[in-house]
Amino acid sequence: MTRPGRARKRFGQHFLADESVISRMVSAIHPRSGEQLVEIGPGRGALTEALLDSAAELVAIELDRDLLPLLQKRFRECGNFRVLGGDALNLDYSSLAQPGKPLRIVGNLPYNISTPLIFHLLGFAEGIQDMHFMLQLEVVNRLAARPGNRNWGRLGIMAQYHCQVESLFAVAPDAFSPPPKVRSGVVRLRPHTGSGTNTQRRDRLQTVVRAAFSQRRKTLRNSLRDLVSVQQLQGLGISPSARAETLDLQQFLALSDLLEAHQ
């Protein structure tokens, strides 16, 4: 039987324990009194405690039911704290929003759910002020990648369609208990105004990007042949012999807009 508060492999838990890293992360978030924070995966509450000192309103989402009573007991004196048991991957984040208070999402995310969770959160970008996450450094690099970089792909393109992405700093494994086998990093995502309103354009972009990167070594002539013609690629000034990682976000948007014209 697992002792309450011990990290569980099946949840991918690595609890943040380094006070200097916690302080640096809180400084980057810069929470203020009256703001609406949502912390995903508070664990034992190390980051939670530092965030609550700001007097911001904080809702914590925790999947591990054994941690819920520990968190409730630790922060029972804090009137600006409440914890919800549940899966962050299935949560309707718009239900947490208050009038005039966009959500500020934070968390030390389990590596095994970070990418699908970010895609889920991007669907609520319209009601989110910003997001600060501790992630596997490889994921941070993919989020913040630029065209021509080997990390440039679907995750970075879709994240940057919705948000301004900023890689903040790297974190060594010994900052966690237990230490993960990889380095971590902190990233900031700030949604662009109106980025979540045109769902049809977003879906078309997803379609194009998914096809373009389905086999990275294929040329666009081959990877996109079911979506656009060689003549259409050339009409946009895109070489049919180019590969997906050489195109920037605006070129992918131009390709996705061709789908609308075709439909």
Side-chain angles (χ1 to χ4, degrees):
M1 185 174 179
T2 305
R3 188 174 71 245
R6 176 177 289 182
R8 292 187 175 191
K9 267 189 180 179
R10 69 188 182 95
F11 291 145
Q13 291 171 329
H14 296 277
F15 299 127
L16 186 58
D18 188 311
E19 292 294 337
S20 65
V21 174
I22 292 170
S23 177
R24 194 173 178 187
M25 193 167 179
V26 172
S27 178
I29 297 167
H30 194 54
R32 298 177 184 177
S33 176
E35 291 183 330
Q36 180 64 62
L37 303 185
V38 177
E39 184 183 7
I40 297 172
R44 298 168 182 158
L47 178 60
T48 312
E49 182 174 27
L51 292 170
L52 287 171
D53 286 343
S54 69
E57 300 291 324
L58 191 150
V59 177
I61 313 299
E62 180 55 61
L63 179 61
D64 187 345
R65 288 179 294 179
D66 287 344
L67 289 172
L68 296 178
L70 299 180
L71 292 163
Q72 290 164 340
K73 181 179 180 181
R74 180 172 181 178
F75 302 113
R76 64 179 179 271
E77 304 295 329
C78 299
N80 56 332
F81 173 79
R82 64 188 174 109
V83 59
L84 302 177
D87 188 347
L89 277 168
N90 298 321
L91 184 66
D92 177 1
Y93 288 85
S94 63
S95 68
L96 302 178
Q98 300 178 22
K101 289 186 179 182
L103 300 178
R104 305 194 67 198
I105 315 288
V106 304
N108 170 29
L109 300 187
Y111 297 154
N112 57 350
I113 68 161
S114 59
T115 298
L117 180 56
I118 288 170
F119 273 112
H120 179 61
L121 285 163
L122 291 176
F124 300 93
E126 197 67 18
I128 295 174
Q129 178 178 323
D130 56 24
M131 297 178 272
H132 291 80
F133 294 133
M134 179 83 72
L135 302 166
Q136 186 174 342
L137 187 57
E138 177 187 346
V139 177
V140 173
N141 291 340
R142 287 166 56 203
L143 284 165
R146 306 304 302 167
N149 185 289
R150 65 182 179 84
N151 291 310
W152 183 240
R154 179 171 171 247
L155 179 61
I157 292 167
M158 296 311 301
Q160 291 174 39
Y161 169 68
H162 285 284
C163 306
Q164 174 190 346
V165 180
E166 185 180 358
S167 175
L168 299 181
F169 56 91
V171 180
D174 60 8
F176 302 88
S177 175
K181 295 179 180 179
V182 296
R183 287 174 61 80
S184 303
V186 176
V187 66
R188 175 188 291 133
L189 299 96
R190 287 197 177 112
H192 304 304
T193 303
S195 67
T197 56
N198 193 335
T199 56
Q200 291 182 334
R201 193 183 198 205
R202 180 200 63 202
D203 292 345
R204 289 193 301 270
L205 178 61
Q206 287 248 46
T207 298
V208 171
V209 171
R210 187 181 293 113
F213 285 95
S214 61
Q215 296 185 56
R216 294 182 70 101
R217 295 187 61 81
K218 277 191 174 184
T219 64
L220 296 173
R221 178 197 308 271
N222 294 316
S223 62
L224 297 180
R225 63 185 177 187
D226 293 334
L227 299 176
V228 296
S229 67
V230 167
Q231 291 75 21
Q232 287 174 314
L233 287 169
Q234 292 171 332
L236 293 175
I238 298 172
S239 170
S241 61
R243 290 187 169 87
E245 65 266 20
T246 64
L247 270 58
D248 62 23
L249 173 59
Q250 293 307 314
Q251 288 173 307
F252 276 113
L253 284 170
L255 285 168
S256 67
D257 290 342
L258 279 179
L259 299 190
E260 179 186 26
H262 179 70
Q263 290 167 355

